[in-house]
Amino acid sequence: GPEPANLKGHTGQVNVVKFSPDGRSLASGSADRMIKIWDPSTYQEGASWTAHSSVVQSLTFHPSSKVLVSGSFDDTVKLWDVATGREQVILKGHRSSVDCVAFSPNGKLIASASMDATVKVWDASSNRTLATIRGHFGNVTFVAFSPDDKRLASAGKDGMIKLWDTTD
């Protein structure tokens, strides 16, 4: 195929890239602690900000494409206004790095997976912790919601995939 576009701007290893649901933005997170928003049609950097005090490990967009959630080695989950790069909320409660974050398809829940062997489920409107799920032996590396919002899958370094009911 043709030569790919090269988006340059991070000064550290890029750990995550995510397209917004509307396809108008591409977000990247890096070991340089930065989040960058790119225009995938022009290959230009739009917004850029220092997001965390440590490595940005995970990103996900709200279904509206207007809010971005990040997870970091600084043990926090943060919500950002995509247009301005302004921090909206810091979600605290993990005792180790946050390796993965996910929005539910309806945008009402946020899940975060951590090296502290837990999954946290947060209410996206009140920013409250709804549940702290323990069930893996060791780091939880990935979380994903089912398309119907009824289940949450988690994967861990223990070799297990667990399915959790989110309807309770």
Side-chain angles (χ1 to χ4, degrees):
E3 180 70 25
N6 293 308
L7 308 180
K8 296 178 183 176
H10 284 290
T11 60
Q13 173 181 309
V14 178
N15 296 319
V16 59
V17 291
K18 289 284 180 155
F19 277 101
S20 61
D22 65 11
R24 295 181 184 167
S25 300
L26 176 70
S28 59
S30 170
D32 63 11
R33 305 174 303 141
M34 302 287 292
I35 291 175
K36 293 185 179 289
I37 306 294
W38 308 87
D39 183 331
S41 63
T42 65
Y43 314 123
Q44 298 299 308
E45 182 181 316
S48 177
W49 61 89
T50 301
H52 288 272
S53 62
S54 189
V55 173
V56 178
Q57 185 66 11
S58 183
L59 297 170
T60 191
F61 280 92
H62 183 273
S64 71
S65 300
K66 295 178 181 179
V67 175
L68 185 68
V69 174
S70 61
S72 171
F73 281 10
D74 67 8
D75 308 349
T76 65
V77 175
K78 293 184 178 184
L79 281 74
W80 305 93
D81 180 290
V82 173
T84 65
R86 226 178 244 137
E87 183 182 288
Q88 294 180 327
V89 176
I90 300 175
L91 303 176
K92 295 181 179 180
H94 284 294
R95 293 183 312 245
S96 191
S97 70
V98 178
D99 284 346
C100 187
V101 290
F103 254 115
S104 61
N106 65 12
K108 293 181 179 180
L109 301 175
I110 300 166
S112 55
S114 176
M115 290 180 69
D116 67 8
T118 67
V119 172
K120 289 196 177 286
V121 179
W122 315 82
D123 181 299
S125 60
S126 70
N127 305 309
R128 284 188 15 244
T129 305
L130 298 177
T132 299
I133 302 169
R134 293 173 177 82
H136 286 277
F137 298 101
N139 303 354
V140 184
T141 56
F142 198 81
V143 287
F145 285 95
S146 63
D148 63 4
D149 292 306
K150 293 182 180 177
R151 291 188 186 175
L152 176 67
S154 61
K157 289 198 175 177
D158 58 4
M160 299 295 296
I161 299 166
K162 298 193 178 263
L163 292 176
W164 310 94
D165 184 355
T166 61
T167 59
D168 292 338

